[in-house]
């Protein structure tokens, strides 16, 4: 691979633009394809391979007219928006970064959302509804509310339910969740929309401590991303 | 975890004037320990980050990567079930992987 290809891939990744690396494993020829750019010039079949690799987030090896192509996708980074700069959020931010997510923590309470508590994490101290207007969750975004305070959690959940976020979770007991569902219904959300909400949040692994609860949440996000979303495109 | 990112690190190592080879899992069969596309980055002094298996064949791949850096020629490597050569260059899990090793320059 040429150094220029490496630099192009890294530039795409830092700009949150998907790209795909093609390598011919016989001739060692390689190039980077950015979907939508120069489509006319690109071979349609190679372009379709690129889109398949990005869609499934899996490498593809395919012979196209005698060339043995290895097709490696680089999707825009996954993103996790955490509402509530609380103790569990500190662990969750750390685990999510280890799993490759860009993490944003939203909490207007500046005593919570401090650099000292979240070193190196992007902090946003706007109210969640304003924050989410700017953050605009997309299909590569997960969102979790952790504050227990409807004033902060509800506006975030409502914005998330109107977005294509792939995972929406809310911390709180079954009783809290029942009350939350009533409020969402009053706000005009349909049953099917509310059903997207993972609550109580996290896989049932008997978690007790904040760190363990963060493990259960990260596991549920991963299961949603890898099992549920990939099911349609599985080989 | 920027310090563990393979491609960012590759770019940084090149900027520091180090020789770099990139190993990529291009095919897996059976219970291979990592998915296709997993990568291992090696410099000319056997420093490495990343992985192409659960640690089973990394030593062998790093040795091959040094040759790739020396010759400038990419190589395709294949590792299968542990055999007589045993745990030095086999996959104890019973899977098989193909690893493409290329210079980056």
């Amino acid at each position: 691979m040429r150094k220029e290809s490496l630099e192009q891939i890294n530039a795409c990744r830092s700009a949150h633009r998907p790209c795909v690396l093609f390598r011919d494993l016989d001739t060692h020829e390689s190039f980077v394809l950015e979907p939508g750019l120069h489509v006319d010039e690109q071979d349609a079949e190679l372009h379709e391979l690129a889109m398949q690799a990005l869609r499934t987030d899996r490498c593809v090896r395919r012979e196209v007219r005698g060339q043995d192509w290895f097709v490696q996708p680089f999707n825009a980074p996954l993103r996790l928006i955490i509402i509530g700069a609380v103790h569990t959020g500190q662990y969750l931010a750390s685990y999510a970064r280890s799993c490759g997510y860009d993490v944003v923590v939203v909490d207007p309470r500046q005593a919570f959302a401090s650099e000292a508590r979240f070193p190196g994490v992007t902090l946003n101290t706007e109210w969640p509804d304003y924050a989410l207007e700017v953050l605009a969750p997309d299909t590569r975004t997960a969102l979790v509310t952790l504050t227990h305070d409807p004033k902060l959690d509800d506006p975030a959940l409502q914005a998330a339910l109107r977005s294509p976020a792939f995972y929406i979770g809310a911390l709180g007991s079954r009783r809290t969740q029942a009350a939350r569902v009533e409020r969402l219904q009053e706000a005009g959300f349909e049953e099917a929309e509310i059903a997207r909400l993972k609550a109580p949040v996290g896989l049932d692994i008997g978690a007790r401590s904040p760190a363990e609860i963060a493990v259960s949440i990260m596991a549920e996000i991963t299961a949603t991303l890898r099992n549920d979303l990939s099911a349609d495109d599985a080989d | 975890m920027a310090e563990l990112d393979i491609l960012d690190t590759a770019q940084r190592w090149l900027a520091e004037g180090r020789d770099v080879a990139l190993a990529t899992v291009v095919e897996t069969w059976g219970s291979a320990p990592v998915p296709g596309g997993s990568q291992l980055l090696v410099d000319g002094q056997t420093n490495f980050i990343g992985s192409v298996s659960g640690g089973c064949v990394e030593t062998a791949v790093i040795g091959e990567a040094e040759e790739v850096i020396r010759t400038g020629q990419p190589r395709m490597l294949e590792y299968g079930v542990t055999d007589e050569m045993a745990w030095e260059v086999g996959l104890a899990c019973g899977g098989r992987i193909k690893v493409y090793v290329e210079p980056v320059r």
Side-chain angles (χ1 to χ4, degrees), chain A residues 1-3 6-7 9-10 13 23 25 28 59 61 70 72 74 97-98, chain B residues 1 5 7-8 11 22 24-27 37 39 74 100 102-105:
Chain A
M1 175 168 48
R2 281 173 295 115
K3 186 177 164 217
L6 174 70
E7 288 166 353
I9 293 167
N10 284 340
R13 293 194 308 155
R23 295 183 189 85
L25 297 180
H28 311 303
C59 296
R61 190 168 172 192
F70 180 68
Q72 186 171 11
F74 296 92
R97 291 174 80 196
S98 297
Chain B
M1 300 300 280
D5 188 278
L7 298 184
D8 284 344
Q11 196 170 331
L22 185 63
T24 305
V25 176
V26 295
E27 226 168 315
Q39 294 187 308
Y100 180 72
E102 64 193 319
V104 185
R105 53 191 180 167

Side-chain angles (χ1 to χ4, degrees), chain A residues 135-225:
Chain A
L135 292 170
D138 59 16
T139 55
R140 305 264 305 159
T141 304
L143 179 139
V144 181
T145 61
L146 299 177
T147 72
H148 288 113
D149 182 347
K151 280 202 308 297
L152 293 167
D153 283 356
D154 279 15
L157 291 174
Q158 292 190 16
L161 288 173
R162 286 188 215 102
S163 80
F166 78 87
Y167 176 95
I168 306 168
L171 187 69
S173 66
R174 282 191 174 76
R175 201 159 49 105
T176 307
Q177 171 61 7
R180 185 185 287 129
V181 168
E182 275 180 31
R183 292 195 303 275
L184 287 170
Q185 284 167 338
E186 280 165 26
F189 285 91
E190 304 286 339
E191 202 172 318
E193 295 174 297
I194 297 171
R196 286 174 66 200
L197 197 55
K198 306 276 191 187
V201 76
L203 296 186
D204 185 3
I205 57 172
R208 286 188 192 170
S209 69
E212 291 171 355
I213 292 166
V215 168
S216 83
I217 297 171
M218 199 63 234
E220 188 174 53
I221 293 172
T222 306
T224 305
L225 176 72

Side-chain angles (χ1 to χ4, degrees), chain B residues 35-85:
Chain B
S38 298
Q39 294 187 308
L40 175 77
L41 181 74
V42 184
D43 76 356
Q45 280 79 48
T46 69
N47 295 300
F48 72 98
I49 64 164
S51 62
V52 292
S53 75
C56 316
V57 301
E58 270 73 4
T59 310
V61 173
I62 290 162
E64 297 279 350
E66 299 301 337
E67 283 299 298
V68 166
I69 286 173
R70 199 177 58 75
T71 62
Q73 285 303 310
R75 294 184 179 191
M76 186 72 81
L77 313 173
E78 188 169 343
Y79 298 98
V81 186
T82 312
D83 56 16
E84 286 293 305
M85 297 281 285

